[in-house]
Amino acid sequence: VSPGYLLFWLDCCVSAFLQMDYHFEYTECDGTGSRWRVAIPRKQDLCTGLPDPVSGTDCTFSCDAGEFLEMSAQQCTPCVAGTYSLGSGIRFDEWDDIPVGFTSLATYLDSSPGVEEIHACKNSSWVPKGSYLESNRDDCTVSLIYAVHLKKQGSVSFEYQYVDNNIFFEFFIQNDQCQEMDQTPDQKWIKLTNNGEWGGHTVNLNSGTNILYWRTTGIFLGTKALKPVLLKNIHIEGVAYTSECFQCKPGTFSRAPGSSTCEPCPRNTHSSKGATSCTPCDKETQYSPEGSAECKEKSACTEKDYFQIHTPCDSDGKTQVIYKWIEPKICLENVTGAVTLPPSGEREPCPPCNPGFYSYNSASCFPCPPGTFSDGIRGCEKCPAGTEPALGYEYKWWNVLPSNMKTSCFNVGNSKCDDMNGWEVAGDHIRSGAGSSDNDYLILNLWVPGFKLPTSVTGSSGTEFGRVTFVFETTCSADCELYFMMDVNRKSTSVVESWEGSKARMSYSHIVTKNASVSFTWAFQRTSQAQDVRRLVGDIAKIYSITLTNAQDGTASSCRACALVSQQTGTSCVPCPTGHYIDKDNNRCRQCPPDTYLSGHQVYSKEACIPCGPGSRSNKDRSRCFSDCSFSHTWQNRTLTYDFSPLGPVGSIMNGPSFTSKGTKYFHSFNISLCGLEGNRAAICTDNVTDLSKMERQNEPGEFANYVEAFVCQSTIIPSDGRGFRTALSSQSVSLADTFMGATVENTLHGVTVKPDLFPGTSKKVPNVNFFYRSSQPTSSCENGRSAVISLRCNPEKTGRGELSVSSKCPAGTCDGCTFNFLWESASACPRCTEADYHEIEGACKGGSQTILYVWNEPKLCSKGVRLPVMRRTPCEAIDFWLKIGAALGAFMALLLISLSCYFWKKNKRLEYKYSRLVMTASRDCDMPAADSCAVMEGDDNEDDVVCSSKPSLLGKLKSMAAKVSRKPP
């Protein structure tokens, strides 16, 4: 080596060392758990004078939160002020853009024949929104992917908001071989959250390479826009170390070394990246929300910067309307064009207390003691003997917010409205508040610890534990929406119903079918578009009244009759057994008559026993009516008897496929329980994944799960080949029928009608048998709930379970969204065979015997029942020859008789003529006058000639003499 080259090499290495043109990394751990620290040049050049590899720290080594590993010394060093470190973890909470290492990949997979990949998804992506990520709003499949290599076991956690079940949201993990890691369904499929609430999800990770997938798939089944999934605060634990600290993002700061987090700047302050403190805004002209990176100029105050409230009742029982600035106040009222607060209204008498409450000092309302009731105006009174308080909530006056209700404001992108009221009381109603921006969620919550049925129906097996009813209206100029949600046992949240746009004053009821703690939530959002301004304050929602029955901690506004053991027991009520009503005369329990059932919410008087519908009978407890899968009917002077038991087990029909605007294939799946199990609904439809709900039901049978039980239920199925899913997805499960009304050959029952033209081709010999069902749960489009009709048609060609179908005129099973019609064709839907369904055929007599066969009438429209008699033989005589002789003699005798009859008839006519001539010529008793001549009638024979003579005959003379003698006088 020449001295010049050596000098160059030495100079290069020194320069590289001084400029830190390299960094340190650890090698992979070997089998002994050891590794080496090596220097990696930052630039490619001829310099090779890097520090020699040295022994690294132990593979299990890690730094604490607030520290980083200084690789030169291989020691943990505290982060300086303005930075932070998680130690063995990494966090992503800043989403101005998608961070390095993350990939957003849009796919659209459909393996159906002839379907090509649709390129319209190339622009679909997760969208950064500053403090969170937002999923795509179309029906493409988009995956957010991040790969991390862990030196030890760790975990990943994140926060999310997932409110729309038209989107499937899944989180899964693959290893470096692209093999999906084993995960339980509740780890993979993310559960829905309330509107305006963040949920959390944590999954353990194995050491080694983990590829994380957050994947959403939108399914457009209507014109309603999808609400995207929101994602933030992704935290990964298990990395061995971090070799640097992260600077605090703008709007946050860390004031001391060794920080593991950065604090948000208080209101009216701001900071830049890596700040150690926050800078105040100008108090007079500027403002900033919490965690702001800059200050904003205040504008002139307008009507949108204040709101009105009703003050609580004072000691004089008075209240008034006052106006207050929306806090924090971000406007100026002393500049040109600014408005000032309107003056307060006149003091007015406070509204009365709500039913079940009483006023103690004219300023506050208190609940009535147990066993008493009040209408809210008068004081509390004890219930009379034979009655008990009808517990519940009845809120129709809104002077103060009830103690079991709370209100809040929430915005997914910021916390500006966290301290605001979402709703404000306004005397005869409660109304949505101002909020901080137009896309805030304004939340009203009512918590119910449980339900308590009245004593008289404690043993009832009915499904109604409570009923919530509220009256509301909305006034909107944009895309506002009011949500009504229910959270059961603080576990399963679901949107019960929602209303978009302006709605006139209307009432809505929902039935609670499980005895559990329930949280009812009303959430109002003026617009779903992300806006940091307040322009739509005039868009409001009003709730006038909220009524809930059978609340466990409720009060009573009235009393209801209850059962007594005897009249001497006073007010001590006893529960009636299932299916028993309360007799009006003596308040004793009486069982409902046979073939009636007890109304679910009314037990007083015999009128509470409702007759069963046609083709049904009551169970032993008189709690419900059911079909035992048998049916009989008189049709065309014939009694038809049916046995539908082969159709009793749950049947299924999947109609479609249908396709969304982007071509996603989906099916409507219906499960049908024709007869149920003595009135118990046996058809089950699940949500999310076909096996997820089944597991939940087995593990926690007492809890709500994502399934419905009904006589007829519906789910939307996304096949596994429709989007590249590894399993078919099931969603939007609803009950279409939870009560059996009856079975009849008529087309109408209790207001539900099946149109004959939906299923043409009914046989004139055997009618269709229609099973009618109803779902009592109302919806926004079906105020009286849904109904379903299953028409059973005899079809001998459909053996076994037969075939279920829907009308071609209503391919979704319904034409109006409220009444669903199905046709079930099967040989099992034919009546039982009787002797009238076959006839006999006699064979020829051969060898002294005759064969008799029995065959079915065609077409055969019966099944089971009697069987065809077996073929039989009967003796007979060979009388063919004598039969022919007898026939010939009979024909001859018949001809002879006809000839004789004709002859004598003609002879009789001639005699009749001769007699009439004699009568005409007879003029006296003696001799006839002689005629000049006598003619022979034309055609008469000579021997029949009548001859007249002038000489009387001897016989004439004798007659004349006898006549004279008889005339002589005595």
Side-chain angles (χ1 to χ4, degrees):
V1 180
S2 65
Y5 183 83
L6 183 62
L7 182 61
F8 171 80
W9 177 84
L10 182 61
D11 181 71
C12 182
C13 289
V14 171
S15 175
F17 180 81
L18 293 176
Q19 297 179 13
M20 296 300 294
D21 285 339
Y22 61 90
H23 65 278
F24 291 110
E25 287 187 7
Y26 284 124
T27 63
E28 292 290 334
C29 296
D30 57 23
T32 62
S34 302
R35 58 185 173 182
W36 294 85
R37 188 201 69 177
V38 297
I40 307 298
R42 299 183 186 275
K43 299 179 181 179
Q44 294 183 357
D45 51 29
L46 298 178
C47 177
T48 58
L50 300 174
D52 293 331
V54 299
S55 177
T57 59
D58 187 81
C59 287
T60 59
F61 175 85
S62 63
C63 294
D64 295 331
E67 297 179 338
F68 74 101
L69 181 62
E70 204 286 306
M71 293 294 290
S72 298
Q74 297 193 71
Q75 293 181 350
C76 293
T77 304
C79 293
V80 299
T83 64
Y84 73 97
S85 168
L86 300 177
S88 61
I90 51 178
R91 182 170 59 223
F92 301 95
D93 55 4
E94 187 175 353
W95 302 96
D96 295 322
D97 52 21
I98 295 182
V100 176
F102 282 88
T103 302
S104 182
L105 178 63
T107 57
Y108 195 97
L109 302 177
D110 195 326
S111 59
S112 301
V115 178
E116 298 180 357
E117 183 176 352
I118 298 179
H119 300 287
C121 292
K122 62 182 180 180
N123 294 325
S124 299
S125 174
W126 285 81
V127 181
K129 292 291 185 178
S131 60
Y132 62 92
L133 273 176
E134 180 180 282
S135 71
N136 55 305
R137 291 175 178 261
D138 54 26
D139 55 347
C140 293
T141 299
V142 181
S143 299
L144 181 69
I145 308 171
Y146 183 74
V148 61
H149 187 80
L150 302 184
K151 297 296 183 180
K152 58 182 180 180
Q153 288 186 341
S155 63
V156 56
S157 61
F158 55 89
E159 296 180 57
Y160 69 94
Q161 187 174 129
Y162 174 31
V163 298
D164 194 341
N165 62 0
N166 289 308
I167 296 179
F168 295 103
F169 182 27
E170 56 180 328
F171 173 74
F172 59 95
I173 307 165
Q174 290 183 350
N175 58 21
D176 53 1
Q177 302 298 319
C178 295
Q179 296 174 333
E180 188 171 334
M181 309 295 286
D182 290 335
Q183 290 178 261
T184 59
D186 59 339
Q187 289 178 327
K188 177 179 178 181
W189 295 98
I190 310 301
K191 296 183 179 180
L192 291 170
T193 62
N194 284 332
N195 284 272
E197 291 186 7
W198 289 97
H201 192 76
T202 302
V203 177
N204 293 328
L205 302 177
N206 296 327
S207 59
T209 299
N210 293 267
I211 305 174
L212 312 179
Y213 287 82
W214 292 265
R215 185 161 76 174
T216 60
T217 300
I219 304 297
F220 271 121
L221 300 181
T223 58
K224 188 175 179 179
L226 296 176
K227 289 189 175 296
V229 173
L230 308 181
L231 185 65
K232 71 174 184 179
N233 290 342
I234 299 176
H235 188 146
I236 301 174
E237 282 286 344
V239 296
Y241 62 89
T242 178
S243 58
E244 60 180 343
C245 295
F246 301 96
Q247 287 186 315
C248 293
K249 67 179 182 179
T252 63
F253 71 101
S254 64
R255 61 168 55 93
S259 297
S260 60
T261 59
C262 296
E263 302 177 47
C265 287
R267 281 196 177 101
N268 298 323
T269 64
H270 71 285
S271 71
S272 57
K273 192 169 186 177
T276 59
S277 62
C278 298
T279 304
C281 299
D282 186 291
K283 293 183 179 180
E284 298 297 330
T285 62
Q286 294 182 327
Y287 76 96
S288 70
E290 184 182 38
S292 180
E294 61 180 359
C295 293
K296 298 180 180 180
E297 296 295 326
K298 294 181 179 179
S299 59
C301 293
T302 67
E303 292 84 355
K304 299 175 182 179
D305 292 306
Y306 63 81
F307 64 98
Q308 71 174 37
I309 63 170
H310 282 66
T311 62
C313 285
D314 57 21
S315 58
D316 297 328
K318 301 286 186 178
T319 182
Q320 66 179 149
V321 175
I322 64 173
Y323 298 88
K324 298 179 65 176
W325 293 113
I326 296 174
E327 296 295 340
K329 184 180 177 184
I330 57 175
C331 66
L332 298 173
E333 56 180 318
N334 54 357
V335 297
T336 303
V339 301
T340 59
L341 283 178
S344 300
E346 297 291 334
R347 296 176 71 241
E348 299 176 351
C350 291
C353 294
N354 279 311
F357 290 78
Y358 70 99
S359 177
Y360 178 72
N361 57 7
S362 299
S364 302
C365 295
F366 301 92
C368 285
T372 64
F373 71 101
S374 170
D375 60 0
I377 300 175
R378 294 182 293 268
C380 301
E381 303 176 20
K382 281 195 172 185
C383 287
T387 64
E388 61 179 331
L391 299 180
Y393 306 145
E394 191 173 349
Y395 302 133
K396 61 180 182 179
W397 299 109
W398 303 93
N399 186 56
V400 294
L401 197 67
S403 59
N404 59 346
M405 298 184 73
K406 65 178 182 178
T407 178
S408 59
C409 180
F410 176 83
N411 191 291
V412 297
N414 55 61
S415 58
K416 292 188 296 184
C417 74
D418 287 356
D419 297 330
M420 295 182 176
N421 286 337
W423 293 69
E424 299 287 348
V425 295
D428 65 342
H429 67 275
I430 184 170
R431 58 192 294 166
S432 55
S436 63
S437 58
D438 288 341
N439 67 327
D440 292 341
Y441 284 101
L442 306 174
I443 298 170
L444 180 67
N445 179 269
L446 170 63
W447 185 71
V448 186
F451 296 88
K452 181 181 180 182
L453 291 174
T455 303
S456 299
V457 294
T458 300
S460 173
S461 60
T463 59
E464 181 175 332
F465 283 86
R467 183 187 295 251
V468 59
T469 303
F470 57 94
V471 179
F472 71 97
E473 71 175 359
T474 59
T475 304
C476 301
S477 60
D479 59 329
C480 75
E481 190 163 5
L482 175 66
Y483 300 89
F484 173 59
M485 298 171 286
M486 185 171 67
D487 183 3
V488 179
N489 288 337
R490 302 185 184 275
K491 176 184 177 182
S492 172
T493 301
S494 60
V495 176
V496 178
E497 195 60 75
S498 65
W499 298 267
E500 294 182 350
S502 296
K503 297 295 181 183
R505 187 165 175 167
M506 62 182 293
S507 176
Y508 178 79
S509 295
H510 178 74
I511 299 173
V512 180
T513 58
K514 293 289 185 180
N515 190 3
S517 63
V518 177
S519 178
F520 297 108
T521 300
W522 293 263
F524 180 67
Q525 189 181 38
R526 293 185 172 93
T527 177
S528 60
Q529 303 300 319
Q531 296 183 10
D532 197 22
V533 293
R534 188 168 52 238
R535 297 192 180 99
L536 304 174
V537 177
D539 293 4
I540 59 174
K542 295 180 180 179
I543 296 178
Y544 292 94
S545 65
I546 298 176
T547 304
L548 179 69
T549 62
N550 302 336
Q552 182 176 304
D553 62 341
T555 57
S557 61
S558 62
C559 300
R560 58 180 289 165
C562 67
L564 303 175
V565 175
S566 66
Q567 293 295 334
Q568 287 73 32
T569 57
T571 58
S572 178
C573 296
V574 297
C576 283
T578 301
H580 286 63
Y581 67 94
I582 301 173
D583 194 318
K584 282 184 177 180
D585 298 330
N586 53 22
N587 280 48
R588 304 288 291 273
C589 296
R590 295 283 185 270
Q591 187 177 31
C592 284
D595 293 333
T596 66
Y597 70 99
L598 190 64
S599 170
H601 55 276
Q602 169 61 30
V603 296
Y604 191 63
S605 79
K606 190 175 182 179
E607 287 71 22
C609 300
I610 303 174
C612 292
S616 65
R617 60 189 180 91
S618 60
N619 60 357
K620 184 186 300 183
D621 294 333
R622 311 288 200 271
S623 60
R624 59 174 62 93
C625 295
F626 70 98
S627 169
D628 59 359
C629 274
S630 63
F631 181 78
S632 62
H633 176 68
T634 301
W635 180 263
Q636 298 178 352
N637 298 324
R638 177 187 171 194
T639 299
L640 303 178
T641 303
Y642 297 82
D643 179 15
F644 299 128
S645 55
L647 308 179
V650 177
S652 298
I653 175 176
M654 186 178 294
N655 66 328
S658 300
F659 297 89
T660 65
S661 59
K662 292 269 182 87
T664 298
K665 181 169 60 178
Y666 67 93
F667 298 84
H668 285 306
S669 174
F670 300 93
N671 288 336
I672 296 175
S673 172
L674 183 67
C675 304
L677 303 173
E678 290 200 0
N680 293 321
R681 303 175 293 274
I684 297 176
C685 293
T686 60
D687 268 0
N688 291 340
V689 185
T690 51
D691 59 349
L692 170 60
S693 300
K694 183 177 179 181
M695 294 181 60
E696 288 186 352
R697 291 180 64 221
Q698 291 175 347
N699 295 336
E700 302 179 30
E703 300 291 339
F704 270 35
N706 297 326
Y707 73 98
V708 295
E709 291 180 331
F711 286 104
V712 182
C713 59
Q714 175 189 2
S715 295
T716 301
I717 305 296
I718 311 298
S720 58
D721 61 352
R723 280 295 184 84
F725 291 123
R726 286 157 297 281
T727 182
L729 303 183
S730 173
S731 181
Q732 302 172 339
S733 296
V734 294
S735 170
L736 304 180
D738 51 30
T739 302
F740 174 65
M741 295 196 299
T744 176
V745 297
E746 303 297 331
N747 291 327
T748 300
L749 181 65
H750 299 330
V752 181
T753 300
V754 54
K755 298 180 180 179
D757 59 344
L758 288 179
F759 303 110
T762 303
S763 171
K764 294 182 179 180
K765 295 183 177 180
V766 177
N768 290 348
V769 180
N770 299 314
F771 275 60
F772 289 83
Y773 307 86
R774 186 187 297 279
S775 174
S776 57
Q777 200 71 270
T779 66
S780 59
S781 57
C782 307
E783 295 182 358
N784 298 321
R786 298 183 178 96
S787 56
V789 183
I790 303 173
S791 299
L792 302 176
R793 176 175 294 176
C794 173
N795 189 339
E797 297 180 0
K798 306 288 185 180
T799 59
R801 302 272 293 162
E803 180 182 359
L804 270 165
S805 62
V806 296
S807 173
S808 58
K809 297 182 179 180
C810 308
T814 177
C815 297
D816 57 7
C818 297
T819 301
F820 291 76
N821 295 276
F822 305 91
L823 177 65
W824 200 335
E825 295 182 276
S826 173
S828 300
C830 297
R832 299 178 71 90
C833 296
T834 64
E835 287 79 0
D837 291 302
Y838 64 83
H839 61 278
E840 67 178 31
I841 299 177
E842 294 183 353
C845 184
K846 295 180 180 180
S849 65
Q850 185 180 30
T851 301
I852 299 180
L853 298 175
Y854 297 88
V855 295
W856 295 110
N857 299 333
E858 292 295 337
K860 181 187 176 185
L861 296 175
C862 66
S863 66
K864 297 184 179 179
V866 300
R867 298 181 178 181
L868 277 178
V870 297
M871 181 183 66
R872 61 189 180 92
R873 291 182 177 274
T874 58
C876 63
E877 297 181 3
I879 58 173
D880 292 346
F881 174 77
W882 295 109
L883 184 62
K884 294 177 181 178
I885 297 298
L889 290 175
F892 175 77
M893 294 300 295
L895 183 61
L896 180 63
L897 288 173
I898 292 173
S899 301
L900 289 174
S901 297
C902 292
Y903 173 77
F904 285 113
W905 175 80
K906 188 174 183 181
K907 196 73 175 175
N908 182 64
K909 294 296 288 185
R910 286 198 296 267
L911 290 175
E912 182 180 357
Y913 174 77
K914 292 176 181 180
Y915 175 75
S916 63
R917 293 287 299 173
L918 287 175
V919 172
M920 293 173 60
T921 56
S923 58
R924 58 181 180 271
D925 297 336
C926 58
D927 297 340
M928 291 183 179
D932 293 338
S933 64
C934 288
V936 179
M937 293 290 295
E938 183 179 355
D940 288 349
D941 296 332
N942 289 335
E943 60 269 20
D944 294 332
D945 292 345
V946 177
V947 179
C948 293
S949 176
S950 58
K951 295 181 179 181
S953 63
L954 179 63
L955 180 61
K957 292 179 179 180
L958 291 174
K959 289 182 177 180
S960 177
M961 291 176 63
K964 290 179 179 179
V965 172
S966 62
R967 286 196 297 266
K968 286 182 177 181

